[in-house]
Amino acid sequence: MPRTLIELETKLEKLSVLDEAGNLDKELEPEISDDFLKALFRAMLLGRRFDERLLSLQRQGRIGTFPPTTGQEAAQLGAVAALQPEDWMAPSFRETVAEVWRGKSMESIIIHNNGFSEGDDADAKFNNLPVSVPVASQTLHAVGIAWALKYRKMPRVAMTFFGDGATSEGDFHEALNFAGVFQVPVVFVCQNNHWAISVPLARQTRSRTLAQKAAAYGIPGIQVDGNDILAVYSAAREAVQRARDGGGPTLIECVTYRLQMHTTADDPKRYRSDEEVEVWRKRDPIPRFQTYLMDKGIFSEEDVKTLEASIKDEIQQAVDRAEERMKALGAPLTMFDHAYATTPPHLEEQKRYLKTLLSVGGKEAQHG
Amino acid sequence: MPRTLIELETKLEKLSVLDEAGNLDKELEPEISDDFLKALFRAMLLGRRFDERLLSLQRQGRIGTFPPTTGQEAAQLGAVAALQPEDWMAPSFRETVAEVWRGKSMESIIIHNNGFSEGDDADAKFNNLPVSVPVASQTLHAVGIAWALKYRKMPRVAMTFFGDGATSEGDFHEALNFAGVFQVPVVFVCQNNHWAISVPLARQTRSRTLAQKAAAYGIPGIQVDGNDILAVYSAAREAVQRARDGGGPTLIECVTYRLQMHTTADDPKRYRSDEEVEVWRKRDPIPRFQTYLMDKGIFSEEDVKTLEASIKDEIQQAVDRAEERMKALGAPLTMFDHAYATTPPHLEEQKRYLKTLLSVGGKEAQHG
Amino acid sequence: MAKLNMVQALNLALRQEMEQDDSVIVLGEDVGKDGGVFRVTDGLAEAFGEDRSRDTPLAESGIVGMAVGMAVAGLKPVCEIQFSGFSYHNFHQIENHAARYRMRSQGRYHVPMVLRTPYGGGVRALEHHSESREVYWSHMPGVKMVIPSSPRNARALLVSAIRDPDPVIFYESKALYRAFREEVPEEEETFPIGKSRRIREGDDLTLIAYGAMLRRALEAAERLKEESGIEADVIDLLTLSPLDDTLFVDSVKRTGHAVVIHEAPLSYGPGAEIAARIAEKAFYYLEAPVARVTGYDVVIPLFARENDYIPSVERIVRESRKLLEKI
Amino acid sequence: MAKLNMVQALNLALRQEMEQDDSVIVLGEDVGKDGGVFRVTDGLAEAFGEDRSRDTPLAESGIVGMAVGMAVAGLKPVCEIQFSGFSYHNFHQIENHAARYRMRSQGRYHVPMVLRTPYGGGVRALEHHSESREVYWSHMPGVKMVIPSSPRNARALLVSAIRDPDPVIFYESKALYRAFREEVPEEEETFPIGKSRRIREGDDLTLIAYGAMLRRALEAAERLKEESGIEADVIDLLTLSPLDDTLFVDSVKRTGHAVVIHEAPLSYGPGAEIAARIAEKAFYYLEAPVARVTGYDVVIPLFARENDYIPSVERIVRESRKLLEKI
Ligand SMILES: Cc1ncc(C[n+]2csc(CCOP(=O)(O)OP(=O)(O)O)c2C)c(N)n1
Ligand SMILES: Cc1ncc(C[n+]2csc(CCOP(=O)(O)OP(=O)(O)O)c2C)c(N)n1
Ligand SMILES: [Mg+2]
Ligand SMILES: [Mg+2]
């Protein structure tokens, strides 16, 4: 001292690879096999079409409230694409596209969106936590999992997702601080979609970027164009690798946009302008990536058409299967099933009681 | 973009004015009147001697557990010295020196330390909150107060104190973030005394400084030598002025050291070395400030002696008054007094019940 | 008098209090432009400015901790916590501070704040959006716990809560928000916190409920009368803490039988306290144990099954009959 | 067998479980080198390494949220929250997550964690260091709530809690930590969670208590016998949730009279549930209402007055006599 500037111990960076029009910064292009690129594109498109379908199902009353993902496909997929199945994912509630990539069936998602806990099953091959509704709370679970992985000397990492709004919660802070102190293999992926329901980013925090919040924890932070899947993937791959190599946590801010309503119960017209949405529609991650693939010569208009058809089919089958499966669901007594490993006597008693109620009155005995 | 560094919107700085030996950086010397300098010195010394006296009272069983302040006088006083009485102070639990500066009587502190809520009275001239034991929680109250001050267009500020450990709590994060977003007149004073009970700073967070955590909220942060009252005062005055002028919040990290145990229930030998303590003993804020005053020619060895005698006297009187006052305290029924503005019927009933208990059995009826 | 649903009635209460008293400040997530996810604060930001219906960052402890400070400094904050399932994030700020500043400061400071939050099931919502945990707040010394059951009493109680010098937790049943309309006078109306109300008179049985379950209790009473000629006294608690036991104790002294109904889980639920009070104060009048018709001791299931969890009219009727047969 | 106080007995439980099972991880503030502010984790870091008795940053939600993740990933975390007065900071992590991962994941994940925390008054501590809020956890579906009353049962219950596949909240009475010693066998001993125990037999009256109050109940029973020839049955609940009502209900069927004792506030307190259960299951045996000898409905006063808040032996004796005179 006397009056000097504080130097930070880690870098705070920004990264973009493909611009809005799909033009490539050659130097930064990540090496990805053609097959993997195509798989990513399919997953993006499937995510988009599935979201559209869910929205129409919701409008028809065939599913309940859900949070759309349109516009955020690159942010989610670019991140999870860097994981192995045995790595862990701790999602928030808006990572449907990432969940499907990681083995969750669309059928289950529909069933979950109909209020059946049976929709919360998951592909055992993947270590995915179920969705977590309380904002930011799951970030701590990811840290705990990463702690366990490090303790068990397993070469795996945990990745957790959350929104811009989530960065305001105390749990976000505690998670990043713990991760920094314990240097555990966790990657924090913030989908900065500019809105937390009706609250715009500028009212969420005064910091210019969310990535710079990493400075508070002495960990690296990077802001990427979240609608640029190559940028997201590059940053995620780097962070995952660092975590796997014992280099500790990273905060990745993916700058993206929620093109739809917060959930189907929300009306965004109350708080944001169509013009703003239009600006972001032009930054849609899908056409941009498609341009890149076409420029690269590994994808044609024809391929897109074939893909659209096969996706449509796949979604339809999932809807059909879900609706079929749901006919057999609904037995209320299952509410007692997963309360504890062993159902304690008082719950057995309550279960018997509900059973009696159901048997005497049929459904009518129960419903108000 | 493409890959670039993130620039912060506010400065993160370090400041020191007097070095360990009391040598001055002339350029940075704040303008303070001689009388004010002397008043500060008296308060520092009084704080030290009072702490010593409390420790001996505690060892004699004449007060309960308390958190000593020795070593942190400059950090506390330098900060509150920048306030007006009508400004607000939201302390944690270790700001005895600051509280006494702001009108709290030593007598009350002794009474509080004996488990009497009557010790929680305060000088009505000052807007001080009572001590807050849950770590970091009071920082939010300061933000709320500052919000009210801004709303009411009052030219006042709120200052809140907390420790290095407190920066790990979610409430700290939420407080700084709210303060940043609302740009309210609040000054966050972190007394980084290197320990949170047995946990050293390096295990509390991976960030190299605590001041840099301000970057997460887009607000200015400054690290000062917390054992250098001139540095603390300079930084506090600047922050208070900025807040008063509508410039919003500041985070000040005062680097200091807890020379004593965490509380009298703690044994620091379990977790830290005498050598470490010795290093910090040499950085004691009091001799350093004394040297400065003597070098400045406004204070002599003789003055110190006179001061010590008057302080001793003042403390003795406080002890005597407290012990006298406590004789009259202890009526248990007061526990119902400040529960609600109007005591609801069930509490009246419980109060009557306790009254009966006390009257039938005397004290013995109650105590187990 | 206009016919209002509960959302509109609550909005009226806020609007009128904000008009009269510029220390009343609404704050919370999405309470500004959006008017709250249930629209309870609709139009307040337009009418009174953004500072008076203040959108905050997404942090419940922050909202409540800030409100505590605002209240200490003389304002009357009315926080909205978007769903009661997220009010646990601010639990420590209420238990450790809102409930204690008066005591801790020997009366110098107090915390005239309201924490409004939607609770309960029945609207086909996601996890954490349907539960009832009113006991947490009812057991907590230093706060008051209020649960209205209709648009009119919601409005009157919210006005009283805002004016109350102590912290009030105000649970609003989502199922009631738009369930029905009621005449709500434009003129000021308050209802004392800490008072219950008799809603229906009868000598055979006492039904005790609050919030969304009050309506079901009333429906059950009608059916008991129609189907079996049983006349039920129905008590609406309205305030859970401080609990007014005078009306239900008197009632049970006449009827000898009581059923308490709530959505919250059975064990250590509100019904336990009601049953204990009745036993303490009307023991020799009781002809049968107080029956508790409640949620089960599990987390309320996702919405496909929530109606099997929440006490139904049918179930209240059935348990009431069972109780009386025991005479 | 060694004579151990409760701190030592808990330490033994941790030590032995950690020896046997390297998935058992202690974590919390000051649990490492310092051995916990009450020394319950003394020596564990030395014996098993710092990762096994892990000092964390100062953040309760962080500790518990991290533990939830550790448990989901297959470890058995034992968190220490330094005082139960700070466990509200992590309330949402327990209510929203620890209690629900099993259900939410349809049984795929579960949360075998323990949250140990000192509760209750009687040690002349600061504000927030003396309260009893066991109801918050007892009412919460998906967790278990245990409160031991002696070194030996504390050790046995902690072993059971650590091995339990579901989350257990484990309240330790500070007043009991060093109050007395008891023979605690070196060999493994467990005690089933969800079971109460009869500690003393008698036919005149049932005293129901747990934690620190159990000792006072026993003392009261001795005095009742000596002074008035009254023979009390004494039941130690040990687990509050799931609540074992078999013993106390049976007992009341014999005695016709019950007194329940706790430090927690009266209203919506544990005693309410006990009283309601007794009424439900032994109504026709009850000769008087269940008496509740409890803390008052205010925040426990600072330590100069705490003994006027906590139920005393004298008060238990008095209320027991009053109850029996009513026969
Ligand atoms: C703790 C908590 N508080 C409030 C809510 C209600 N809520 C659900 S989503 C949401 C906004 C989240 O914003 P962000 O983190 O940006 O995620 P996004 O919805 O944009 O994906 C809110 C307030 C919640 N689920 N959890
Ligand atoms: C929320 C909360 N958790 C735990 C404690 C127990 N406790 C009291 S002081 C303390 C350490 C505080 O460290 P720091 O913030 O650095 O302040 P210092 O004691 O050094 O002044 C702890 C853990 C508490 N009072 N509040
Ligand atoms: Mg968002
Ligand atoms: Mg410290």
Side-chain angles (χ1 to χ4, degrees):
Chain A
M1 317 228 221
R3 195 149 190 153
T4 54
L5 286 185
I6 291 174
E7 267 173 55
L8 301 180
E9 53 276 70
T10 55
K11 274 194 293 188
L12 303 174
E13 295 180 311
K14 297 194 198 197
L15 173 66
S16 140
V17 179
L18 283 178
D19 72 11
E20 272 181 56
N23 300 315
L24 179 70
D25 184 327
K26 258 283 176 203
E27 259 180 42
L28 295 170
E29 185 181 17
E31 248 183 70
I32 313 180
S33 75
D34 291 355
D35 282 352
F36 200 68
L37 285 171
K38 284 186 211 165
L40 283 173
F41 186 73
R42 185 180 203 280
M44 276 175 94
L45 202 61
L46 178 79
R48 178 67 57 89
R49 298 296 170 248
F50 184 48
D51 204 48
E52 289 161 359
R53 186 63 191 271
L54 286 177
L55 199 54
S56 91
L57 288 174
Q58 197 280 335
R59 293 313 189 211
Q60 296 160 32
R62 286 161 69 191
I63 64 168
T65 310
F66 81 97
T69 52
T70 289
Q72 302 184 213
E73 296 87 354
Q76 299 185 19
L77 278 172
V80 286
L83 295 180
Q84 301 299 318
E86 323 77 51
D87 289 329
W88 287 74
M89 171 173 80
S92 141
F93 45 81
R94 200 188 296 286
E95 283 77 36
T96 316
V97 187
E99 289 186 288
V100 172
W101 175 266
R102 287 182 55 84
K104 178 118 184 161
S105 71
M106 290 187 284
E107 171 190 334
S108 290
I109 289 164
I110 295 166
I111 291 172
H112 171 83
N113 286 336
N114 265 303
F116 290 104
S117 43
E118 285 84 348
D120 296 325
D121 58 356
D123 185 333
K125 204 175 81 185
F126 291 89
N127 285 315
N128 297 344
L129 295 190
V131 299
S132 172
V133 172
V135 166
S137 57
Q138 74 284 357
T139 57
L140 281 164
H141 309 164
V143 174
I145 288 168
W147 197 96
L149 296 175
K150 185 176 178 187
Y151 175 69
R152 290 297 190 201
K153 300 195 170 42
M154 289 169 141
R156 298 186 188 164
V157 311
M159 178 179 279
T160 182
F161 285 91
F162 51 92
D164 44 310
T167 63
S168 296
E169 283 282 4
D171 278 359
F172 162 83
H173 173 70
E174 300 186 13
L176 272 83
N177 191 47
F178 274 56
V181 168
F182 296 134
Q183 286 292 291
V184 290
V186 58
V187 180
F188 296 98
V189 182
C190 179
Q191 291 191 71
N192 171 6
N193 65 5
H194 285 83
W195 292 92
I197 309 186
S198 72
V199 179
L201 185 59
R203 302 225 169 163
Q204 198 62 246
T205 182
R206 197 164 197 265
S207 74
R208 214 182 279 146
T209 71
L210 297 176
Q212 79 195 54
K213 290 180 189 277
Y217 314 104
I219 67 172
I222 184 164
Q223 185 186 60
V224 302
D225 179 345
N227 285 2
D228 167 2
I229 192 163
L230 298 184
V232 178
Y233 180 73
S234 298
R237 198 169 55 176
E238 193 176 297
V240 165
Q241 199 51 51
R242 178 163 46 233
R244 229 188 275 291
D245 293 347
T250 304
L251 171 62
I252 301 177
E253 173 191 1
C254 301
V255 180
T256 180
Y257 195 80
R258 161 166 68 71
L259 287 170
Q260 286 290 4
M261 60 289 288
H262 168 71
T263 69
T264 46
D266 173 52
D267 173 12
K269 293 218 181 301
R270 291 180 71 92
Y271 53 79
R272 71 184 188 187
S273 69
D274 287 346
E275 292 77 58
E276 178 184 309
V277 180
E278 279 320 307
V279 168
W280 280 95
R281 236 182 253 296
K282 296 198 197 97
R283 301 183 184 150
D284 190 324
I286 297 184
R288 190 189 306 196
F289 189 39
Q290 187 175 326
T291 306
Y292 167 73
L293 295 180
M294 289 180 166
D295 286 355
K296 226 178 149 67
I298 61 175
F299 214 69
S300 66
E301 288 288 357
E302 199 51 37
D303 292 339
V304 177
K305 268 186 213 143
T306 323
L307 195 55
E308 290 275 15
S310 103
I311 281 172
K312 192 170 171 191
D313 221 49
E314 193 180 335
I315 292 172
Q316 187 56 46
Q317 283 174 28
V319 173
D320 293 345
R321 268 199 314 276
E323 299 198 330
E324 190 54 37
R325 237 181 93 196
M326 284 189 287
K327 288 181 194 153
L329 299 179
L333 292 178
T334 57
M335 76 172 78
F336 296 99
D337 284 357
H338 297 293
Y340 298 94
T342 317
T343 308
H346 74 293
L347 286 186
E348 288 293 359
E349 198 178 316
Q350 293 178 19
K351 191 172 173 181
R352 273 195 303 278
Y353 169 81
L354 175 54
K355 201 168 171 185
T356 315
L357 273 193
L358 294 165
S359 67
V360 287
K363 270 276 163 189
E364 195 261 345
Q366 250 305 295
H367 294 275
Chain B
M1 318 232 224
R3 195 148 187 152
T4 55
L5 286 184
I6 291 174
E7 268 173 55
L8 301 180
E9 51 276 71
T10 54
K11 275 193 293 189
L12 304 173
E13 296 179 311
K14 297 194 199 197
L15 173 67
S16 141
V17 179
L18 284 179
D19 72 10
E20 271 180 57
N23 300 315
L24 180 71
D25 184 328
K26 257 285 176 202
E27 258 180 40
L28 295 170
E29 185 182 16
E31 249 183 70
I32 314 180
S33 76
D34 290 354
D35 282 351
F36 201 67
L37 285 171
K38 284 187 211 166
L40 284 174
F41 186 74
R42 184 179 203 282
M44 277 174 91
L45 202 62
L46 177 79
R48 178 67 57 89
R49 299 296 171 247
F50 185 47
D51 205 47
E52 289 161 358
R53 184 62 188 272
L54 288 177
L55 198 53
S56 91
L57 288 174
Q58 197 280 334
R59 293 314 189 208
Q60 295 161 34
R62 286 160 69 190
I63 63 168
T65 310
F66 81 97
T69 52
T70 289
Q72 302 184 216
E73 296 86 354
Q76 299 186 19
L77 279 172
V80 285
L83 296 180
Q84 301 298 320
E86 323 77 51
D87 289 329
W88 287 74
M89 171 172 79
S92 143
F93 45 81
R94 200 187 297 286
E95 283 76 36
T96 316
V97 188
E99 289 186 288
V100 172
W101 176 266
R102 287 182 55 85
K104 177 117 184 161
S105 72
M106 290 187 284
E107 171 191 333
S108 291
I109 289 164
I110 295 167
I111 291 172
H112 171 82
N113 286 337
N114 265 303
F116 290 104
S117 43
E118 286 83 350
D120 295 327
D121 58 357
D123 186 334
K125 202 175 85 186
F126 291 88
N127 286 316
N128 297 345
L129 295 189
V131 298
S132 172
V133 172
V135 167
S137 57
Q138 74 285 356
T139 57
L140 281 164
H141 309 164
V143 174
I145 289 168
W147 197 97
L149 296 175
K150 186 177 177 184
Y151 175 70
R152 290 298 190 201
K153 301 192 169 49
M154 287 168 140
R156 299 188 188 164
V157 310
M159 178 179 280
T160 181
F161 286 91
F162 52 93
D164 44 311
T167 63
S168 295
E169 284 282 3
D171 278 359
F172 161 84
H173 174 70
E174 300 186 14
L176 272 83
N177 192 46
F178 275 56
V181 169
F182 296 135
Q183 286 292 291
V184 290
V186 58
V187 179
F188 296 99
V189 181
C190 178
Q191 290 192 70
N192 170 6
N193 64 7
H194 285 83
W195 291 92
I197 309 186
S198 73
V199 179
L201 184 60
R203 303 228 168 162
Q204 198 64 247
T205 183
R206 197 165 197 265
S207 74
R208 213 182 281 142
T209 70
L210 298 175
Q212 80 195 53
K213 290 181 189 278
Y217 315 104
I219 67 173
I222 184 163
Q223 184 186 60
V224 302
D225 179 344
N227 285 2
D228 167 2
I229 192 164
L230 298 185
V232 179
Y233 180 72
S234 299
R237 198 169 54 176
E238 192 175 299
V240 165
Q241 198 53 51
R242 176 161 49 233
R244 229 188 275 291
D245 293 346
T250 304
L251 171 61
I252 301 176
E253 174 192 1
C254 302
V255 180
T256 179
Y257 195 79
R258 160 166 68 72
L259 287 169
Q260 286 290 3
M261 59 291 286
H262 168 70
T263 68
T264 46
D266 174 50
D267 172 12
K269 294 217 181 302
R270 291 180 71 93
Y271 53 78
R272 70 183 187 188
S273 70
D274 288 345
E275 293 76 60
E276 179 185 306
V277 180
E278 278 321 306
V279 168
W280 280 95
R281 235 181 253 295
K282 297 199 195 94
R283 301 182 185 151
D284 190 323
I286 296 184
R288 189 189 307 197
F289 189 40
Q290 189 176 325
T291 304
Y292 168 72
L293 295 180
M294 287 179 164
D295 286 356
K296 226 179 150 68
I298 59 175
F299 214 68
S300 67
E301 287 287 358
E302 199 52 38
D303 292 338
V304 178
K305 268 186 214 145
T306 323
L307 195 54
E308 290 276 15
S310 103
I311 281 172
K312 194 170 167 192
D313 219 52
E314 192 179 337
I315 293 172
Q316 187 56 47
Q317 282 174 26
V319 173
D320 292 345
R321 268 198 314 274
E323 299 199 329
E324 189 56 37
R325 235 180 96 194
M326 283 189 288
K327 288 182 193 154
L329 299 180
L333 292 177
T334 57
M335 75 171 81
F336 296 100
D337 283 357
H338 296 293
Y340 298 94
T342 318
T343 308
H346 74 293
L347 286 186
E348 289 292 0
E349 198 180 315
Q350 293 178 20
K351 190 171 172 180
R352 274 195 302 277
Y353 169 81
L354 176 54
K355 200 167 171 185
T356 316
L357 273 193
L358 293 167
S359 66
V360 288
K363 270 275 163 189
E364 196 262 345
Q366 250 306 294
H367 294 275
Chain C
M1 292 226 268
K3 280 208 147 212
L4 305 182
N5 66 25
M6 198 192 270
V7 167
Q8 295 164 327
L10 291 165
N11 186 270
L12 177 67
L14 290 170
R15 196 176 282 271
Q16 291 185 333
E17 288 306 290
M18 288 170 84
E19 239 153 44
Q20 278 186 42
D21 182 352
D22 70 358
S23 61
V24 178
I25 308 284
V26 167
L27 71 161
E29 296 156 13
D30 308 292
V31 300
K33 250 192 197 158
D34 201 34
V37 295
F38 287 103
R39 308 289 177 251
V40 172
T41 59
D42 194 22
L44 301 180
E46 284 92 319
F48 302 101
E50 293 200 330
D51 257 356
R52 300 288 304 281
S53 191
R54 184 74 264 172
D55 276 336
T56 64
L58 208 177
E60 289 74 14
S61 181
I63 294 165
V64 173
M66 183 165 108
V68 169
M70 290 162 74
V72 162
L75 300 181
K76 292 183 186 152
V78 183
C79 309
E80 176 172 303
I81 297 297
Q82 209 158 74
F83 289 91
S84 67
F86 310 126
S87 65
Y88 319 129
H89 283 71
N90 55 253
F91 206 72
H92 61 291
Q93 283 289 350
I94 299 286
E95 161 76 57
N96 289 342
H97 291 300
R100 295 174 183 227
Y101 258 109
R102 180 184 291 283
M103 180 211 73
R104 189 182 295 144
S105 68
Q106 293 280 290
R108 172 161 178 188
Y109 300 118
H110 65 291
V111 182
M113 68 175 274
V114 180
L115 187 162
R116 295 179 38 245
T117 190
Y119 87 101
V123 300
R124 295 174 58 83
L126 303 175
E127 201 198 334
H128 308 285
H129 290 66
S130 303
E131 61 216 46
S132 301
R133 296 283 187 275
E134 50 273 25
V135 157
Y136 294 160
W137 312 106
S138 304
H139 182 57
M140 193 181 279
V143 302
K144 302 181 180 184
M145 211 295 125
V146 170
I147 310 188
S149 61
S150 81
R152 184 158 178 179
N153 63 39
R155 188 284 196 102
L157 280 163
L158 184 53
V159 172
S160 298
I162 293 171
R163 298 184 188 174
D164 197 283
D166 288 304
V168 178
I169 310 295
F170 198 90
Y171 261 31
E172 300 166 2
S173 162
K174 288 182 283 294
L176 292 181
Y177 267 153
R178 296 171 191 279
F180 64 104
R181 287 166 182 271
E182 202 177 28
E183 300 279 354
V184 178
E186 181 67 23
E187 316 77 77
E188 166 173 321
E189 194 172 59
T190 61
F191 189 87
I193 290 175
K195 290 273 175 245
S196 61
R197 246 175 108 164
R198 168 172 292 111
I199 301 298
R200 188 184 187 287
E201 308 214 357
D203 286 331
D204 299 326
L205 170 73
T206 307
L207 299 180
I208 304 161
Y210 54 87
M213 292 302 102
L214 196 264
R215 304 258 302 163
R216 297 202 174 180
L218 275 175
E219 266 186 68
E222 288 309 315
R223 283 195 34 199
L224 284 166
K225 179 188 174 142
E226 276 166 35
E227 294 172 12
S228 325
I230 296 169
E231 287 289 2
D233 230 33
V234 178
I235 309 293
D236 186 357
L237 291 179
L238 296 167
T239 298
L240 264 72
S241 170
L243 179 64
D244 172 16
D245 56 23
T246 55
L247 291 188
F248 68 75
V249 165
D250 280 356
S251 172
V252 175
K253 283 185 181 169
R254 280 187 294 107
T255 65
H257 296 87
V259 180
V260 48
I261 304 122
H262 56 70
E263 293 177 66
L266 175 75
S267 292
Y268 304 92
E273 182 61 31
I274 313 294
R277 291 277 178 107
I278 292 174
E280 280 162 8
K281 302 198 170 174
F283 187 73
Y284 298 100
Y285 301 86
L286 264 184
E287 293 173 40
V290 175
R292 295 189 280 171
V293 178
T294 73
Y296 303 106
D297 287 338
V298 292
V299 174
I300 185 170
L302 296 188
F303 71 76
R305 293 179 177 94
E306 65 176 337
N307 288 329
D308 293 298
Y309 182 93
I310 304 168
S312 63
V313 172
E314 187 61 40
R315 200 176 141 204
I316 302 168
V317 167
R318 190 180 136 88
E319 294 305 319
S320 300
R321 282 214 196 90
K322 248 182 27 197
L323 192 70
L324 289 169
E325 274 155 27
K326 278 200 185 142
I327 301 174
Chain D
M1 292 226 268
K3 280 209 148 212
L4 304 182
N5 65 26
M6 198 191 272
V7 167
Q8 296 165 326
L10 291 164
N11 186 271
L12 178 67
L14 291 169
R15 197 175 282 268
Q16 291 185 334
E17 288 305 290
M18 288 171 84
E19 238 152 46
Q20 277 186 42
D21 183 352
D22 71 357
S23 61
V24 177
I25 308 283
V26 166
L27 71 161
E29 296 156 12
D30 308 292
V31 299
K33 251 193 197 159
D34 200 35
V37 295
F38 288 103
R39 307 287 177 255
V40 172
T41 61
D42 194 21
L44 301 180
E46 284 90 320
F48 301 101
E50 293 199 332
D51 258 357
R52 300 287 304 281
S53 191
R54 185 73 265 175
D55 277 336
T56 63
L58 208 177
E60 289 73 15
S61 181
I63 294 165
V64 173
M66 183 164 108
V68 168
M70 290 162 76
V72 162
L75 300 181
K76 292 181 186 152
V78 183
C79 309
E80 175 173 305
I81 296 297
Q82 208 157 74
F83 290 90
S84 66
F86 310 127
S87 65
Y88 319 128
H89 283 72
N90 55 253
F91 206 72
H92 61 290
Q93 283 290 351
I94 299 285
E95 160 78 55
N96 288 342
H97 291 300
R100 295 175 183 226
Y101 258 108
R102 181 183 291 281
M103 180 211 74
R104 190 182 296 145
S105 69
Q106 293 281 290
R108 172 162 177 188
Y109 300 117
H110 65 291
V111 182
M113 67 175 273
V114 180
L115 187 161
R116 295 180 37 244
T117 191
Y119 87 100
V123 300
R124 295 174 57 83
L126 304 175
E127 200 197 337
H128 308 285
H129 290 66
S130 304
E131 61 216 44
S132 301
R133 296 285 186 275
E134 50 274 26
V135 157
Y136 295 159
W137 313 106
S138 304
H139 182 57
M140 193 181 280
V143 303
K144 302 180 181 184
M145 212 293 128
V146 171
I147 311 189
S149 62
S150 82
R152 184 159 180 179
N153 64 39
R155 188 283 196 103
L157 280 163
L158 183 53
V159 172
S160 298
I162 293 171
R163 297 185 187 173
D164 198 284
D166 289 304
V168 178
I169 310 294
F170 197 89
Y171 261 31
E172 300 166 0
S173 161
K174 287 182 284 292
L176 292 181
Y177 266 152
R178 297 172 190 279
F180 66 104
R181 287 166 182 270
E182 202 178 25
E183 300 279 355
V184 178
E186 180 68 22
E187 316 76 78
E188 167 174 321
E189 195 172 58
T190 60
F191 189 87
I193 290 174
K195 289 276 173 242
S196 61
R197 247 176 107 164
R198 168 174 291 111
I199 301 298
R200 187 184 188 287
E201 307 213 356
D203 287 332
D204 300 326
L205 170 74
T206 306
L207 298 179
I208 304 162
Y210 56 87
M213 293 300 102
L214 196 261
R215 304 256 306 161
R216 298 201 174 181
L218 275 175
E219 267 185 66
E222 287 310 315
R223 281 194 35 198
L224 284 166
K225 182 191 168 132
E226 276 166 36
E227 295 170 12
S228 327
I230 296 169
E231 287 289 0
D233 230 32
V234 179
I235 308 292
D236 187 357
L237 291 178
L238 295 168
T239 298
L240 263 74
S241 170
L243 179 63
D244 173 15
D245 56 22
T246 56
L247 291 188
F248 68 75
V249 165
D250 280 357
S251 173
V252 174
K253 284 184 180 168
R254 280 187 295 108
T255 65
H257 298 87
V259 180
V260 48
I261 303 121
H262 56 68
E263 293 176 65
L266 174 76
S267 293
Y268 304 92
E273 182 62 30
I274 313 294
R277 290 279 177 107
I278 291 175
E280 280 161 10
K281 301 198 171 176
F283 186 72
Y284 299 100
Y285 301 86
L286 263 184
E287 294 173 38
V290 175
R292 295 189 280 171
V293 178
T294 73
Y296 303 106
D297 287 339
V298 292
V299 174
I300 185 169
L302 296 189
F303 69 77
R305 294 181 177 92
E306 66 177 335
N307 288 328
D308 294 297
Y309 182 93
I310 304 168
S312 63
V313 173
E314 186 62 38
R315 200 176 141 202
I316 303 168
V317 168
R318 190 181 136 89
E319 294 305 318
S320 300
R321 281 216 198 89
K322 243 176 40 193
L323 192 71
L324 290 170
E325 275 155 27
K326 278 198 187 145
I327 299 175

